[in-house]
Amino acid sequence: MKPILSPRELAIAIGVSESSLKRWADEGLIHVTRTAGGHRRIHISEAIRFVRATRATLVRPDVLGLPDVSAVVRDTPIGDSDEERLFAYLQDGRAVEARGLLLSLYLAGQSVADICDGPLRRAMARLGELWQHGEAGILVEHRATDICVQAINQLRCTMEPPADAPTAVGGAPAGDPYLLPSLAAATTLVAEGLRAVNLGPDTPTTVLQRAAVHHQAACVWLSVSSVSDASRLSDEIGALADRLAPAGTLLLLGGRGVSALPTVPTAPHVHVCEMMLDLARVARRLVGTGAPESTSAALKAH
Ligand code: B12
């Protein structure tokens, strides 16, 4: 990915004239910075925001350093749904096409939450049903997980929340090996304008609490997929909620395993979210309010 673009490069990528692009920049439709010599420069995150907002067609994605998207454009089976195509790419280990497909859905205006709750979740669920974790299935599942990690990280690298944006920290609890749900949560939050520190799978809740203090987090997400000792995990989550309460830090719980817990804290700063779409909604309110102290109040109406 090319981090900084000239107006000419973005113009070529979306098939418009350089003068149109400069005019849009001067009208404030696209944010540019200036070099010491006064030349306009466009950050890749701003270029991608512009492409999404205007539904521009990327005729030369390679100019932006997004060659994966070209691979998908060349390989467009008519009539297949996004889920169907992603499933086929993941099953066959076609990483370039899978990354390109998810990136092109994002460029076409779908949100990160839509992509994770939709084609990504459904394609992975179908892979899980195929082999019931026989050896061949584990091979495909690990490979598909790695490809999705690459794809989501690629999306994440196109976004740069402001330095003063509220911070979220999160992960999956100790003993939980699932990579994708926490990564999807982090990227959903970043897409909504938060800064996210993803501690990933197998993170003790005490470490999440420490990270929340260290980063003065506005919220902590916990993605629960695999639960071996449900009552112990319930207690750990209860203790985490208690420790987060004084600073007004929200605790956002989600994942397939939450329903296996005997109890979930019911305090006002704890929210159980089913999907990334719910998380995005909470994030939008957080970005609107900023300071952690005010987050609980702002979310009461949620
Ligand atoms: C990949 C995979 C694995 C990989 C994980 C690799 C890795 N490092 O991540 C490996 C091979 C290790 C694995 C192992 C096992 N797995 Co497995 N695995 C899967 C699979 C295919 C995909 C999981 C995934 O990543 N999905 C993508 C994510 C993004 O989707 P998601 O988890 O549904 O999350 C969504 C929501 O829950 C929500 N969400 C999640 N977290 C959060 C957090 C917040 C804050 C919010 C708001 C929302 C939210 O948003 C997400 C997007 O919509 C699933 C199939 C499935 N249906 O999901 C089986 C599945 C989960 N596995 C299963 C099983 C049985 C196992 C094993 C027990 C197999 C075995 N005999 O060893 C082990 C257990 C491992 C353990 N210690 O727990 C079963 C679980 C059945 C059950 N009812 O519990 C499933 C459902 C497969 C099946 N159909 O049988 N697995």
Side-chain angles (χ1 to χ4, degrees):
M1 200 174 314
K2 210 162 182 284
I4 305 289
L5 306 163
S6 66
R8 185 176 136 73
E9 284 169 321
L10 183 54
I12 293 171
I14 61 176
V16 300
S17 68
E18 188 179 352
S19 58
S20 298
L21 208 97
K22 285 182 172 165
R23 194 178 65 247
W24 295 335
D26 294 343
E27 288 169 1
L29 298 174
I30 181 158
H31 176 73
V32 294
T33 53
R34 298 268 178 178
T35 63
H39 298 292
R40 297 171 188 85
R41 289 294 175 262
I42 303 159
H43 195 273
I44 185 74
S45 59
E46 173 61 4
I48 287 178
R49 184 203 63 75
F50 183 77
V51 168
R52 282 167 50 80
T54 59
R55 299 284 194 271
T57 304
L58 267 189
V59 290
R60 290 279 311 278
D62 55 304
V63 178
L64 303 186
L66 305 173
D68 295 351
V69 175
S70 321
V72 173
V73 173
R74 282 197 304 273
D75 178 59
T76 309
I78 309 290
D80 275 357
S81 69
D82 301 329
E83 173 194 327
E84 200 67 50
R85 290 173 69 189
L86 182 61
F87 173 71
Y89 294 150
L90 292 178
Q91 192 179 13
D92 296 345
R94 294 169 69 185
V96 173
E97 288 86 350
R99 291 197 307 257
L101 175 61
L102 295 188
L103 188 53
S104 60
L105 295 178
Y106 181 68
L107 290 170
Q110 287 199 30
S111 69
V112 170
D114 287 336
I115 293 169
C116 292
D117 287 339
L120 191 146
R121 182 181 58 83
R122 289 199 293 264
M124 288 302 288
R126 279 178 65 186
L127 282 181
E129 276 156 25
L130 267 188
W131 295 275
Q132 300 300 329
H133 293 280
E135 252 191 23
I138 295 174
L139 183 162
V140 175
E141 279 178 12
H142 278 238
R143 190 176 62 193
T145 301
D146 179 54
I147 293 172
C148 291
V149 167
Q150 293 173 37
I152 302 178
N153 272 329
Q154 191 179 35
L155 290 182
R156 194 172 167 186
C157 289
T158 67
M159 305 163 196
E160 194 48 57
D164 61 351
T167 299
V169 305
D176 184 328
Y178 285 87
L179 277 162
L180 284 176
S182 188
L183 182 60
T187 309
T188 297
L189 293 167
V190 171
E192 298 300 336
L194 275 90
R195 304 186 74 80
V197 179
N198 178 24
L199 301 183
D202 203 4
T203 303
T205 48
T206 47
V207 174
L208 286 173
Q209 193 251 328
R210 182 183 281 257
V213 173
H214 180 81
H215 291 282
Q216 297 180 306
C219 67
V220 170
W221 78 86
L222 184 69
S223 173
V224 183
S225 299
S226 168
V227 181
S228 55
D229 185 340
S231 63
R232 183 171 161 187
L233 183 57
S234 260
D235 291 349
E236 288 170 359
I237 292 173
L240 176 63
D242 289 348
R243 295 211 185 92
L244 295 178
T249 308
L250 298 179
L251 176 58
L252 309 170
L253 295 172
R256 197 176 336 104
V258 170
S259 59
L261 300 174
T263 55
V264 171
T266 51
H269 68 295
V270 180
H271 296 258
V272 179
C273 309
E274 208 176 310
M275 291 287 168
M276 293 299 149
L277 215 63
D278 307 312
L279 187 64
R281 223 174 277 136
V282 174
R284 280 197 285 278
R285 287 171 181 267
L286 273 177
V287 170
T289 58
E293 286 74 25
S294 56
T295 51
S296 296
L299 282 162
K300 272 201 178 112
H302 177 65

